Amino acid sequence: MKKSQRNGGGQSEDLAPPPRTTFDYPVRLVAYTLIAAALCQLILLAVRGVGIEFVARENGPVELAQVDMALFASVCLMIAAVQMPFGRTLLIVCGCLVGYAAARECDSWFESVFFDDAYKYLAGLPLLGVALVALVRGRKRIVVESRVLLRTPSMTIFAIGGIYICTLCQAFDVPDLWTAGGLSESPEMTKAAVEEFAELFGYLLLAFSGVESLAMAFAHGNVETRSVESAAAEATCIELTTPQVDAPSRKAA
């Protein structure tokens, strides 16, 4: 194991940082951007090819894709909960929430096969039971572990997605949003309204990122003497090591 050495100027020489992997966080962000752009283009091609009625219909391609993505996210969170040394409670709860969202998107299928609101009982109750068991088992450490885990890229992106779905998408689903001002006879006006509403929430998320940037920049002291990595670590608390009790120091002979 290497030890830090002092150079001629008296400054400590830090250990070399670990090499970046091929799929580190910045690369994954680029990949997410490309996937999102490709998905938008695919939707546009589908609308032009088969029409909006087919693409956006109940249990249509878009809704099925939503279910698949929600199930994928739920499975990933559950696997992460098994693999992580800590933070399992929050990961399990988030996995259950996304699993319930997937079941809710399949509400018409549940009702056609079983009974009204079947997804609430056949999917919601088991997932609620799993979440409650996880909360009870991890009740002593959930607050400490969640404070660390919530500041990681995984949970940050999860929170951003939850904010967008639970605010903008729910607002679009309210009939008063479209009927209070009267139906527009111009497709351009409808397009402009949807575009402006969506952009408003997008810029709101960007404003939140600005606040977090300030929190990172001014976290605990003079930013001019600190590296970006240390500032980000202090502002976001991305230390994924479990606390350990230090061994008692031995007295020098």
Side-chain angles (χ1 to χ4, degrees), residues 58-77:
E58 189 74 13
N59 294 327
V62 171
E63 191 166 36
L64 292 177
Q66 294 172 357
V67 174
D68 292 339
M69 292 178 187
L71 289 176
F72 175 79
S74 180
V75 171
C76 289
L77 289 166

Side-chain angles (χ1 to χ4, degrees), residues 23-76:
F23 299 104
D24 60 358
Y25 186 53
V27 176
R28 294 197 301 273
L29 284 178
V30 174
Y32 300 154
T33 303
L34 295 177
I35 292 172
L39 181 61
C40 292
Q41 293 300 317
L42 184 62
I43 293 175
L44 182 59
L45 292 174
V47 170
R48 290 173 176 173
V50 296
I52 188 66
E53 291 80 6
F54 176 81
V55 175
R57 65 186 175 89
E58 189 74 13
N59 294 327
V62 171
E63 191 166 36
L64 292 177
Q66 294 172 357
V67 174
D68 292 339
M69 292 178 187
L71 289 176
F72 175 79
S74 180
V75 171
C76 289

Side-chain angles (χ1 to χ4, degrees), residues 160-191:
I160 291 173
I163 291 172
Y164 197 82
I165 291 174
C166 295
T167 55
L168 177 66
C169 298
Q170 294 304 312
F172 280 167
D173 194 40
V174 176
D176 289 346
L177 178 66
W178 309 106
T179 59
L183 295 177
S184 174
E185 298 180 357
S186 171
E188 288 78 10
M189 181 55 65
T190 303
K191 171 260 179 189

Side-chain angles (χ1 to χ4, degrees), residues 68 75 122 127 132 154 160 196 241 252:
D68 292 339
V75 171
L122 300 182
L127 290 172
L132 289 177
S154 172
I160 291 173
E196 296 303 328
T241 56

